[in-house]
Amino acid sequence: MKWFVKELSEYKNQPLSTSEDINLSDDIMSRYSKYVISADDDIHVEAHVFYEKGDVIVNAHVTGKVVVPSSRSLKPVDLPLNFTIDEVYVDTQARLKEREREDDVAFLVDDDGLIDFDQSVADNIILQIPMHILSPDEIESNEMPEGNDWAVISEDDFAEQEANDKKVDPRLAKLENFFNDSDN
């Protein structure tokens, strides 16, 4: 989905409405392979593009799926996508500053007047990935990953372990105040 601002200026009275399946797999994998294992070949985008006083306003709804690594075990996890994008594109620095004063998120269009909305969709897909995501198996079980001489433990288990470490062996309890008595 790429549009020239000049072409969009024809849509002053009525928005450009489009519904497309776009293939972002190569773009997402080349730029974000650290965060995504694979992406659907067809990400569905329904967009309404408005032209208003030199600004281009895009309202879009995105659906699809990406596969991301589990934050606990790095196992593949299917992440369904269903979100909206609302963006404003402006053609001058002055309009950009004006939009910022209005608390709008705006982007400056390149010198060619081209809006590459595919790239925006890919960026917004990455923003949809949660910091903490688990596979269905990990959600159902309380089992944590472990290896040779190491193990991941929950915060509750850690707190319990800390409390147990503070308890004194009853056989050594009498020695706890040994030095306090010897000073007298």
Side-chain angles (χ1 to χ4, degrees):
M1 300 178 110
K2 295 178 177 84
W3 307 294
F4 283 99
V5 174
K6 261 186 186 176
E7 293 171 357
L8 295 174
S9 66
E10 298 171 12
Y11 294 93
K12 291 178 184 172
N13 300 328
Q14 188 172 1
L16 166 67
S17 295
T18 181
S19 179
E20 295 182 31
D21 288 330
I22 56 177
N23 186 343
L24 298 175
S25 183
D26 292 339
D27 182 34
I28 290 173
M29 294 311 297
S30 67
R31 294 192 300 147
Y32 301 112
S33 62
K34 184 177 179 180
Y35 308 105
V36 177
I37 295 172
S38 69
D40 266 359
D41 290 338
D42 296 319
I43 303 291
H44 185 72
V45 180
E46 290 183 30
H48 303 286
V49 185
F50 303 86
Y51 183 84
E52 181 183 288
K53 299 177 188 171
D55 297 347
V56 176
I57 302 166
V58 181
N59 303 108
H61 183 251
V62 179
T63 55
K65 181 187 82 169
V66 292
V67 178
V68 297
S70 162
S71 54
R72 183 181 293 166
S73 66
L74 300 179
K75 292 179 183 176
V77 178
D78 289 344
L79 178 66
L81 301 170
N82 188 358
F83 63 94
T84 58
I85 300 173
D86 296 314
E87 294 182 340
V88 178
Y89 295 88
V90 297
D91 56 355
T92 64
Q93 283 286 348
R95 285 296 297 151
L96 185 63
K97 289 182 192 280
E98 190 176 315
R99 284 288 185 171
E100 286 176 355
R101 272 184 254 135
E102 296 172 5
D103 288 332
D104 289 336
V105 176
F107 299 95
L108 190 61
V109 177
D110 65 12
D111 294 337
D112 299 335
L114 179 68
I115 297 171
D116 185 356
F117 196 64
D118 289 356
Q119 190 170 12
S120 177
V121 172
D123 293 343
N124 277 279
I125 286 172
I126 297 306
L127 292 174
Q128 298 302 310
I129 299 173
M131 295 290 288
H132 185 72
I133 186 165
L134 301 174
S135 70
D137 297 342
E138 292 168 332
I139 292 171
E140 290 177 14
S141 74
N142 289 332
E143 206 171 301
M144 299 285 201
E146 58 183 53
N148 293 337
D149 299 327
W150 67 270
V152 176
I153 59 173
S154 69
E155 287 183 39
D156 294 337
D157 291 343
F158 179 74
E160 184 180 318
Q161 194 175 41
E162 285 280 306
N164 288 339
D165 287 347
K166 289 182 181 177
K167 291 181 182 173
V168 178
D169 185 340
R171 296 172 292 177
L172 301 174
K174 291 181 182 178
L175 295 176
E176 184 176 17
N177 295 322
F178 178 75
F179 288 108
N180 294 342
D181 293 339
S182 65
D183 290 340
N184 295 334

